[in-house]
Amino acid sequence: MPKPAIVILTGAGISAESGLSTFRSSNGLWNNHPVEDVATIEAFERNPEYVHDFYNELKPELNRAKPNAAHLAITRLQNEYPGEVHIITQNVDTLHEKAGSQNICHIHGQINQAVCLNCGQVLETFGDVNTETVCPHCQIQGMMKPNIVFFGENLLCMDKVDELLKNCGLFLSIGTSGVVFPAADFVRIAKICGAKTYEFNLEETSNNWYFDKHIYGKAGTTVPAFVDELLKEPSDNF
Ligand code: APR
């Protein structure tokens, strides 16, 4: 009899120990590059070159990063837990993939993808993308956009996410400040649908009353320890 499904929401904090910046810490990404300059549709329409440059400069650092113990522990959980384990990540890095994880929903997009605004094709783009880039699918030039979900745009994979949240027995939130919606509302949905909800963070976040348990500390330490315990005796009600 399979155990209840586990859904794991990750944020920038899970990648911090891989050397990647988070967004809202003192030296966070948004402190040095205001959201309204690089992460809104208006910014992209106003100055596409500047927005392309931002993500082109970010790409090599994200692609050099290596998964840390937290990413690897989640892969171990997926391989050894006698039930389904799904990842919903807000991160545009591919550290979950590099750790060997599967069943990953990138709700905010991915750094190595671009979407053609003419034909809608999503393309793998490990090199730079800019206003000169020609879409290899429809051959139109200058209509490529980083496949990053800007503020005000719809999230990706939301049908799948909705189904996962409503059918999980355990919801883990790892390394997210819980201030950006709709991802910040996932814990509430999971909880009202009957899941146990645990939060892994360095500190209390704004969503704290929706969590049944808070596990404070660095994800690279707390997540492997939690996975060890869970795999020792997988429970039906956590
Ligand atoms: N272990 C656990 N948690 C950590 C660690 C760590 N080593 N380092 C940082 N954190 C926590 C911080 O305490 C913070 O709560 O990770 C969280 C990071 O918060 P944010 O910087 O706000 O990042 P995130 O929650 O992923 O942002 C969500 O906002 O701007 C958008 O698209 C962007 O996906 C991003 C979304």
Side-chain angles (χ1 to χ4, degrees):
M1 179 69 180
K3 295 291 180 191
I6 300 176
V7 170
I8 304 173
L9 172 68
T10 61
I14 199 173
S15 301
E17 291 161 82
S18 295
L20 297 183
S21 301
T22 59
F23 291 93
R24 295 171 181 82
S25 59
S26 50
N27 61 342
L29 218 49
W30 294 154
N31 289 22
N32 308 317
H33 300 84
V35 166
E36 52 279 356
D37 292 347
V38 294
T40 66
I41 274 290
E42 295 75 15
F44 187 64
E45 286 164 354
R46 186 173 60 242
N47 192 344
E49 273 307 331
Y50 183 78
V51 173
H52 276 305
D53 286 349
F54 174 71
Y55 292 103
N56 288 336
E57 284 162 27
L58 204 54
K59 208 175 273 192
E61 181 192 0
L62 267 60
N63 287 329
R64 269 196 306 273
K66 300 272 181 289
N68 62 58
H71 298 101
L72 296 169
I74 292 172
T75 302
R76 180 169 165 236
L77 187 64
Q78 285 192 325
N79 293 337
E80 298 180 20
Y81 175 69
E84 291 184 15
V85 180
H86 293 267
I87 300 166
I88 301 171
T89 187
Q90 301 174 91
N91 300 337
V92 296
D93 65 53
T94 53
L95 291 176
H96 285 302
E97 288 84 352
K98 287 181 182 174
S101 285
Q102 296 173 352
N103 302 334
I104 305 164
C105 295
H106 278 274
I107 54 173
H108 290 169
Q110 286 190 55
I111 192 68
N112 295 317
Q113 289 182 347
V115 57
C116 175
L117 299 177
N118 179 60
C119 69
Q121 191 76 7
V122 173
L123 306 150
E124 292 288 324
T125 51
F126 290 91
D128 285 0
V129 179
N130 55 43
T131 52
E132 305 298 310
T133 305
V134 174
C135 172
H137 187 252
C138 70
Q139 308 310 318
I140 295 289
Q141 182 179 36
M143 293 295 281
M144 301 304 287
K145 169 187 168 293
N147 192 31
I148 304 284
V149 176
F150 291 151
F151 283 93
E153 286 191 298
N154 292 328
L155 268 58
L156 306 177
C157 332
M158 284 307 282
D159 291 344
K160 175 76 177 162
V161 165
D162 196 48
E163 178 210 326
L164 292 174
L165 295 175
K166 290 178 176 166
N167 294 286
C168 67
L170 178 62
F171 176 85
L172 307 180
S173 175
I174 303 175
T176 181
S177 56
V179 296
V180 174
F181 287 80
D185 195 38
F186 290 175
V187 59
R188 184 187 63 81
I189 299 167
K191 187 161 181 66
I192 57 178
C193 292
K196 277 283 184 350
T197 55
Y198 298 175
E199 179 176 56
F200 295 73
N201 203 302
L202 300 175
E203 60 195 9
E204 201 163 271
T205 65
S206 47
N207 261 336
N208 64 332
W209 54 84
Y210 289 116
F211 287 105
D212 298 306
K213 199 180 275 187
H214 300 271
I215 299 163
Y216 295 119
K218 289 189 170 184
T221 306
T222 57
V223 175
F226 176 79
V227 168
D228 287 347
E229 280 310 302
L230 185 69
L231 290 177
K232 260 189 216 139
E233 43 186 298
S235 142
D236 281 325
N237 50 28
F238 303 107

